[in-house]
Amino acid sequence: MSSSVSPLAPKHVPDMPVIAGVRLATAEASIRYKNRTDVLLAVMDKGTAVAGVFTRSKCPSAPVEWCRAKLKGGKARALVVNSGNANAFTGKTGRSSTALTAKIAAKAVGCSESEIFLASTGVIGEPLDATKFDGVLGRLAETAEPGDYLAAAKAIMTTDTFPKVATATVKLGKAKVTINGMAKGAGMIAPDMATMLSFVFTDAPIAPAALQALLKSGVEDTFNAVTIDGDTSTSDTLLAFATGAAAEHGAPKISRASDPRLKAFIKAFNQVLANLAEQVARDGEGARKLVEITVEGAKTKASARKIAMSIANSPLVKTAIAGEDANWGRVVMAVGKAGEPADRDKLSISFNGIRVAKSGARDPDYDEAQVSEAMKAPEIAIKVSLGLGKGRDRVMTCDLTKEYVAINGDYRS
């Protein structure tokens, strides 16, 4: 957790309303860090539905494997998250640690171990001493209260420079329902389902299968459209919990994701995911520029996504942006290497609305002074037009600075 906040951090932190059926508490367990909170316990009411999406890494962490197995039950009573240790690449010891953590949490909350969900973030390859949770989780279960999402978001930070929270309120039927979310992530971000953890809570009465469908669809143009460095974590976890408490106020019980009554809810749900995903990009390790890359005129949306990610993950593009250099040649390189349909002589590129390349060559109206001034902005929009079809997509990233190297050069030590 950095002592200096990213210059791209949101200027406004929303007031996070209470969600009926969710209580939160944090503590210092000295997992790795000293003099800061590093454990979060979220306690949910009985009957809370759960959904999740996880890393596609072939070397997943022990908590990811645990959650995947327990997700089949569709119900959750508690979430335990620790920072400082990812409990990844820890073999049998890691699996034993998750089992012990779940056992301690289940006893503290008074539920089945199958209703406990776990997430860990931090150093890979170091054993996690789960005995440090003994006593801590019991105390947290007793003191957990509704509401303090900001403190919860702070407890799960690693190299993050600010806590990431988002909220939305929407009508479901005739009742008002709330969606709250928190996330952590600043490096090792290339969501492939970003190290990225995110947790979303709502009081809407949505069945597990419907919630799973909403989550799986919602991540595609939000968390899966963000990259910091192209590296997919072993620990990426996004869990959604629906307590159903709004049913008492007239919210209809939803069993299908296709239910037309969900239209406004889906929009708000995806807005929360998009807000959190953008905050992850804003907090990229060492970042000084937020970068939006739009590719249009591709053969398909999927093709546009691959090209946009090729640009977003290019160290040469990202360092040029850090140096405030509108080096469109590097964008051309990234388009060409993506392996997707492209025609050099139809390619056009713009930076912050200023066209720098047209039809495969430098724009005839190119003005170096104008473009150089535009590149000083904290937010950079790169637009690439391929001229081949109707495929369009957008991804978020950040620049690549010397500080990224400094942060990651001694992260483990």
Side-chain angles (χ1 to χ4, degrees):
M1 186 166 63
S2 174
S3 58
S4 59
V5 177
S6 168
L8 302 173
K11 304 303 181 187
H12 171 71
V13 178
D15 293 326
M16 301 294 287
V18 167
I19 289 182
V22 179
R23 297 181 293 120
L24 305 169
T26 63
E28 297 180 20
S30 299
I31 301 298
R32 179 168 182 250
Y33 307 117
K34 304 297 182 183
N35 302 316
R36 56 153 286 189
T37 55
D38 58 1
V39 177
L40 160 67
L41 176 67
V43 182
M44 278 79 70
D45 283 355
K46 291 181 180 179
T48 295
V50 61
V53 290
F54 308 94
T55 181
R56 287 182 182 150
S57 170
K58 299 302 182 183
C59 300
S61 69
V64 165
E65 290 184 323
W66 175 275
C67 288
R68 280 176 174 156
K70 305 310 173 190
L71 202 62
K72 298 172 185 176
K75 298 296 181 183
R77 287 295 314 283
L79 166 70
V80 181
V81 188
N82 75 271
S83 57
N85 187 312
N87 196 11
F89 201 67
T90 46
K92 292 182 179 179
T93 300
R95 291 189 286 275
S96 296
S97 293
T98 58
L100 179 55
T101 305
K103 183 178 180 179
I104 295 170
K107 182 179 178 181
V109 174
C111 68
S112 166
E113 293 169 26
S114 65
E115 296 175 296
I116 303 294
F117 286 78
L118 309 172
S120 299
T121 180
V123 174
I124 294 171
E126 296 289 337
L128 173 63
D129 182 4
T131 62
K132 290 187 175 182
F133 296 125
D134 201 8
V136 173
L137 294 181
R139 185 173 72 253
L140 292 181
E142 293 175 357
T143 59
E145 295 181 351
D148 202 346
Y149 287 86
L150 198 61
K154 287 179 179 179
I156 65 175
M157 292 165 58
T158 52
T159 58
D160 305 66
T161 71
F162 62 88
K164 303 163 183 64
V165 294
T167 186
T169 302
V170 67
K171 281 285 190 74
L172 181 58
K174 295 183 179 181
K176 181 179 76 172
V177 299
T178 302
I179 306 162
N180 284 353
M182 68 181 86
K184 69 80 53 185
M188 202 185 287
I189 304 291
D192 200 3
M193 353 161 275
T195 301
M196 191 283 297
L197 302 180
S198 187
F199 311 104
V200 180
F201 304 86
T202 181
D203 53 356
I206 302 177
L211 189 62
Q212 183 67 39
L214 294 183
L215 190 63
K216 185 176 180 180
S217 174
V219 298
E220 285 308 313
D221 289 328
T222 57
F223 281 108
N224 280 1
V226 173
T227 180
I228 301 300
D229 45 26
D231 287 333
T232 297
S233 168
T234 60
S235 307
D236 296 339
T237 297
L238 171 53
L239 294 170
F241 303 92
T243 68
E248 297 180 5
H249 304 287
K253 294 182 179 181
I254 304 295
S255 59
R256 296 177 295 106
S258 59
D259 192 315
R261 294 173 294 182
L262 274 180
K263 185 176 180 180
F265 180 89
I266 292 173
K267 183 178 180 180
F269 185 78
N270 290 348
Q271 284 175 342
V272 169
L273 296 182
N275 187 318
L276 293 172
E278 181 175 312
Q279 289 187 58
V280 170
R282 287 181 175 275
D283 204 19
E285 290 169 342
R288 294 295 179 267
K289 306 278 188 182
L290 178 69
V291 186
E292 179 186 63
I293 299 168
T294 303
V295 175
E296 62 181 19
K299 287 283 190 180
T300 64
K301 175 181 170 66
S303 181
R305 169 67 62 89
K306 289 181 180 179
I307 293 170
M309 280 294 188
S310 179
I311 298 167
N313 283 324
S314 166
L316 288 175
V317 172
K318 293 160 75 71
T319 51
I321 294 169
E324 300 181 343
D325 178 14
N327 193 332
W328 68 86
R330 294 182 178 180
V331 177
V332 173
M333 172 277 298
V335 171
K337 75 170 185 175
E340 293 296 312
D343 185 331
R344 177 198 61 203
D345 297 332
K346 293 183 178 180
L347 191 63
S348 295
I349 301 167
S350 67
F351 287 83
N352 275 4
I354 302 171
R355 194 170 61 193
V356 296
K358 178 186 178 184
S359 302
R362 186 174 70 180
D363 191 282
D365 297 324
Y366 179 77
D367 183 333
E368 178 73 27
Q370 180 189 29
V371 178
S372 294
E373 184 63 30
M375 294 303 291
K376 295 178 181 179
E379 299 185 11
I380 304 296
I382 300 176
K383 185 176 181 180
V384 174
S385 299
L386 297 172
L388 300 178
K390 297 182 178 181
R392 184 182 188 277
D393 208 351
R394 162 191 171 275
V395 302
M396 303 293 294
T397 189
C398 60
D399 57 347
L400 181 60
T401 67
K402 294 178 181 178
E403 190 177 349
Y404 178 90
V405 178
I407 290 169
N408 286 284
D410 63 359
Y411 176 66
R412 183 177 177 277
S413 55

